[in-house]
Amino acid sequence: MPDPSSRHVIDLYDRNAPAWEILRGTTLTEQPWLAAFLAAMPPAGKEILDIGCGSGVPIAHHLIGQGYRVTGVDGSAALIARARAAFPDHCWIVADMRTLSLDERFHGLIAWHSFFHLPPQDQMPMFDIFRRLSAPGAALMFTSGTTHGEAIGSFAGEPLYHASLDAGEYRALLARNGFTVLGHVENDPACGGATVWLVKREG
């Protein structure tokens, strides 16, 4: 029987990378949020960290087309291989976001439909990682659920793990790590029902 836990997520994406690319498609319903994210970055900032970047399409592709330099991180080697093939002039890293350690500091960090595959107890320390990887004044955008708990979706006919904290917990973690909330919409109907957070690091 397929494993419904968070341990199964990377393996599921690895085994079904072509199917994920087809399902994800190239439609950029996130475009208004991405525009707000770019506007929140420092004026001269060009370095973006895409955490859970998948194959780089469509989000990293869009950012690259806007003239930004993208470093993409994903636990799936199969998806990173596709990103490297499509965008060889940018940096693509196979890594678990929970142990991510890079020397660079980024002007923008995005974790779109990726961070929410972590269990609640693993999401909490991620905010320290976001802080350590962000330059002063950096923008951070991520998606979450709406309440504290776990949920099992499906992908490629197998269970796919999701989890969330509640909004109050996210706000406390953001404040503790020096981020100010610029925008937060739950179940945004203009963005496929995504719950989106756009925040900015102080300084």
Side-chain angles (χ1 to χ4, degrees):
M1 182 172 179
D3 183 355
S5 75
S6 62
R7 296 186 303 273
H8 176 60
V9 171
I10 291 174
D11 174 66
L12 180 57
Y13 281 114
D14 255 339
R15 290 187 288 105
N16 296 280
W20 182 87
E21 281 195 306
I22 293 169
L23 181 65
R24 184 61 178 90
T26 59
T27 301
L28 202 64
T29 57
E30 305 89 343
Q31 202 282 329
W33 279 106
L34 289 170
F37 167 73
L38 295 176
M41 285 174 54
K46 288 294 182 182
E47 300 292 334
I48 295 176
L49 179 64
D50 187 350
I51 303 170
C53 63
S55 66
V57 178
I59 289 180
H61 185 201
H62 174 74
L63 298 173
I64 290 166
Q66 297 293 306
Y68 292 88
R69 173 76 183 171
V70 173
T71 296
V73 176
D74 202 285
S76 168
L79 288 172
I80 286 290
R82 283 169 160 73
R84 286 174 179 159
F87 312 105
D89 294 332
H90 295 259
C91 181
W92 307 101
I93 302 167
V94 179
D96 186 323
M97 68 176 75
R98 293 168 291 190
T99 58
L100 192 57
S101 179
L102 302 172
D103 293 332
E104 191 171 357
R105 299 296 175 265
F106 297 87
H107 305 110
L109 297 86
I110 184 166
W112 191 270
H113 292 353
S114 58
F115 170 73
F116 64 11
H117 288 310
L118 300 181
Q121 67 272 18
D122 289 352
Q123 291 189 23
M124 296 176 186
M126 282 300 303
F127 289 86
D128 178 64
I129 293 174
F130 293 151
R131 178 186 56 79
R132 288 190 284 108
L133 293 174
S134 61
L140 164 66
M141 187 163 69
F142 64 94
T143 52
S144 73
T146 58
T147 58
H148 189 122
E150 299 175 308
I152 306 299
S154 64
F155 169 51
E158 298 184 40
L160 179 60
Y161 178 92
H162 302 79
S164 184
L165 307 178
D166 65 35
E169 290 174 293
Y170 285 126
R171 287 183 183 275
L173 286 162
L174 288 164
R176 191 178 307 150
N177 285 278
F179 290 97
T180 299
V181 177
L182 303 180
H184 171 225
V185 177
E186 292 189 354
N187 302 318
D188 185 355
C191 194
T195 293
V196 187
W197 295 82
L198 176 61
V199 307
K200 189 175 182 69
R201 182 179 170 183
E202 297 166 6

